[in-house]
């Protein structure tokens, strides 16, 4: 890559990393994995930067790459065997409020299916229009609307279950 392309990529990455990391966190619910997903997405974007840098849809493309990185991570066999529901020996060094959402909502997002979670996060947390979410997910606008509605219903059900127990 030429020096000017490299500099424009660095500038793009600096400007978008925080938003990408927040979106990744809302998808996966783990700050460390969100950091890895963001880095993987930026690495993949760097490879196509000379062709994509002048595109007006670069933000949509970047979100789609991030989403694909997350979905690929979900499909890895070692992830399925790993159980993350154990008790930690000490309290985690949390980053309160960094996602801008309550802990209850972030935990509830982790309980709904991946496609519904992606639709809800991109639609309401990233504040994207339906057309941009459809582009990022690679589906029709009607599918985005139905996945979002089902995701919101699932979120309500999870939170209501938790409130009934408490």
């Amino acid at each position: 890559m030429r020096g000017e392309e490299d500099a424009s990529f660095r500038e793009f990455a600096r400007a978008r990393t925080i938003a990408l990391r927040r979106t990744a966190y809302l998808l996966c619910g783990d700050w460390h994995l969100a950091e890895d997903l963001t880095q993987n997405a930026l690495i993949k974007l760097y490879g196509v930067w000379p062709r994509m840098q002048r595109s007006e849809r670069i933000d949509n493309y970047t979100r789609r790459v991030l989403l694909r990185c997350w979905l690929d991570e979900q499909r890895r066999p070692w992830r399925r065997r790993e159980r993350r529901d154990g008790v930690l020996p000490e309290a985690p060094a949390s980053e309160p409020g960094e996602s801008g959402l309550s802990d209850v909502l972030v935990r509830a997002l982790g309980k709904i299916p991946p496609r519904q979670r992606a639709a809800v996060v991109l639609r309401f947390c990233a504040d994207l229009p339906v057309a941009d979410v459809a582009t990022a997910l690679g589906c029709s606008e009607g599918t985005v609307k139905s996945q979002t509605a089902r995701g919101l219903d699932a979120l309500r059900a999870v939170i209501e279950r938790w409130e009934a127990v408490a």
Side-chain angles (χ1 to χ4, degrees):
M1 217 186 293
R2 295 187 319 230
E4 61 197 38
E5 291 173 339
D6 203 29
S8 79
F9 178 78
R10 275 195 305 267
E11 172 124 0
F12 175 85
R14 246 185 243 114
R16 303 299 195 297
T17 297
I18 292 172
L20 286 173
R21 182 172 176 247
R22 178 179 177 264
T23 301
Y25 173 71
L26 293 173
L27 290 170
C28 69
D30 178 356
W31 284 112
H32 298 290
L33 181 56
E35 194 68 45
D36 291 344
L37 292 172
T38 303
Q39 288 176 5
N40 288 340
L42 288 173
I43 288 168
K44 290 179 181 188
L45 184 63
Y46 183 79
V48 297
W49 187 253
R51 292 185 315 240
M52 292 298 298
Q53 70 177 337
R54 294 190 193 350
S55 173
E56 55 203 42
R57 299 291 222 173
I58 190 69
D59 288 326
N60 287 343
Y61 182 79
T62 304
R63 280 189 290 273
R64 187 172 188 151
V65 169
L66 178 67
L67 183 63
R68 295 293 177 213
C69 287
W70 174 64
L71 290 172
D72 288 347
E73 191 70 23
Q74 295 292 305
R75 293 182 190 116
R76 293 180 192 254
W78 63 271
R79 278 263 181 230
R80 281 179 276 205
R81 289 193 306 263
E82 183 178 354
R83 307 223 16 110
R84 293 184 175 201
D85 55 358
V87 177
L88 296 175
E90 70 240 7
S94 65
E95 301 173 35
E98 188 172 330
S99 71
L101 300 174
S102 73
D103 290 336
V104 173
L105 182 57
V106 172
R107 281 194 344 244
L109 280 169
K111 300 291 184 187
I112 64 174
R115 295 276 295 186
Q116 292 175 9
R117 184 179 340 159
V120 169
V121 166
L122 293 175
R123 184 74 179 96
F124 297 109
C125 299
D127 200 27
L128 296 177
V130 173
D132 288 350
V133 175
T135 301
L137 294 176
C139 62
S140 70
E141 291 183 21
T143 301
V144 169
K145 291 175 185 177
S146 67
Q147 288 292 317
T148 303
R150 289 182 185 136
L152 290 174
D153 288 342
L155 275 176
R156 279 188 206 98
V158 167
I159 292 172
E160 286 172 2
R161 255 192 325 244
W162 289 348
E163 288 176 348
V165 172

